[in-house]
C-alpha cells in the first residue's frame, strides 16, 4: 500500500482518538486535570500536523510502497491487546497495578528477554509515576491492589 495513504489513515485515527481523549480530559476537575488536558491538547496538535502533512503528500505520487512484516504485525497486535488490557485493567485493578503487569509483558513480547532488566525498568517507571503524582501534582494515589501490598 502507498505510504501516504497509510500515514493519512493512521494520522486520522490518531487525531480522532486524541480529540476524544481531550474531550474526556476536559471534564477532569482541579489541578489533577491539568496534565491530562495538556498532554491530550499536545496529542491533538501533533496528530493534526501529521494529518495535514500526510494529506499534502497524497497528491504527490511518490510511489513509495510499504508492507508490514509478520514481526511488525505481531508487534502491532501486541500493542493493541496491551492497550485493551490497560483500558479494562484500570477499571478493575487500578492504573498502577495494571501497569506493573503490562509494561514487562509488552517489553518481553517485543523481544526484550532479560528478567532483571524488565524488573528494574518496571520498578523505575512505577517509581517515576508515583513521584509525579504524589510530589509534583500533589494528588493522593488511588486505593488499589498494588498499594495495599505496599502498605502492609
Amino acid at each position: 500500500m502507498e505510504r501516504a495513504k497509510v500515514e493519512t489513515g493512521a494520522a486520522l485515527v490518531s487525531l480522532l482518538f486524541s480529540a476524544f481523549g481531550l474531550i474526556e480530559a476536559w471534564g477532569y476537575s482541579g489541578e489533577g486535570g491539568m496534565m491530562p488536558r495538556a498532554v491530550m491538547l499536545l496529542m491533538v496538535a501533533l496528530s493534526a500536523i501529521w494529518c495535514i502533512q500526510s494529506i499534502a503528500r497524497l497528491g504527490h505520487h511518490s510511489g513509495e510502497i510499504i508492507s508490514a512484516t509478520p514481526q511488525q504485525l505481531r508487534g502491532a497486535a501486541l500493542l493493541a491487546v496491551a492497550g485493551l488490557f490497560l483500558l479494562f485493567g484500570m477499571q478493575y485493578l487500578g492504573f498502577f497495578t495494571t501497569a506493573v503487569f503490562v509494561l514487562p509483558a509488552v517489553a518481553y513480547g517485543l523481544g526484550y528477554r532479560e528478567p532483571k532488566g524488565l524488573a528494574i525498568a518496571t520498578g523505575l517507571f512505577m517509581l517515576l509515576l508515583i513521584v509525579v503524582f504524589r510530589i509534583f501534582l500533589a494528588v493522593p494515589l488511588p486505593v488499589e491492589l498494588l498499594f495495599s501490598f505496599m502498605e502492609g
Side-chain angles (χ1 to χ4, degrees):
M1 186 174 247
E2 231 181 285
R3 180 182 181 132
K5 290 178 183 175
V6 172
E7 281 195 13
T8 301
L12 287 170
V13 169
S14 176
L15 182 59
L16 179 69
F17 279 109
S18 299
F20 284 141
L22 181 61
I23 291 167
E24 176 69 25
W26 217 262
Y28 296 169
S29 61
E31 292 179 20
M34 288 174 51
M35 188 166 129
R37 284 191 296 267
V39 168
M40 295 312 300
L41 190 60
L42 180 63
M43 284 184 63
V44 166
L46 292 174
S47 296
I49 291 168
W50 183 24
C51 192
I52 291 167
Q53 289 176 336
S54 299
I55 290 170
R57 275 191 231 116
L58 280 176
H60 302 66
H61 296 287
S62 65
E64 186 178 357
I65 304 296
I66 60 171
S67 60
T69 65
Q71 183 180 8
Q72 290 171 325
L73 292 174
R74 279 192 303 273
L78 173 68
L79 292 175
V81 168
L84 288 173
F85 187 76
L86 274 172
L87 182 68
F88 292 110
M90 284 188 285
Q91 290 179 333
Y92 302 108
L93 299 175
F95 173 75
F96 293 96
T97 305
T98 303
V100 164
F101 294 110
V102 171
L103 288 172
V106 168
Y108 187 86
L110 292 175
Y112 187 77
R113 301 280 193 256
E114 181 62 42
K116 186 189 289 185
L118 289 170
I120 291 170
T122 301
L124 288 175
F125 184 74
M126 297 312 296
L127 181 64
L128 175 68
L129 282 177
I130 291 167
V131 166
V132 165
F133 279 93
R134 292 284 306 266
I135 296 173
F136 295 126
L137 296 176
V139 175
L141 296 175
V143 178
E144 61 177 77
L145 186 62
L146 177 67
F147 298 129
S148 67
F149 291 129
M150 294 170 73
E151 291 173 359

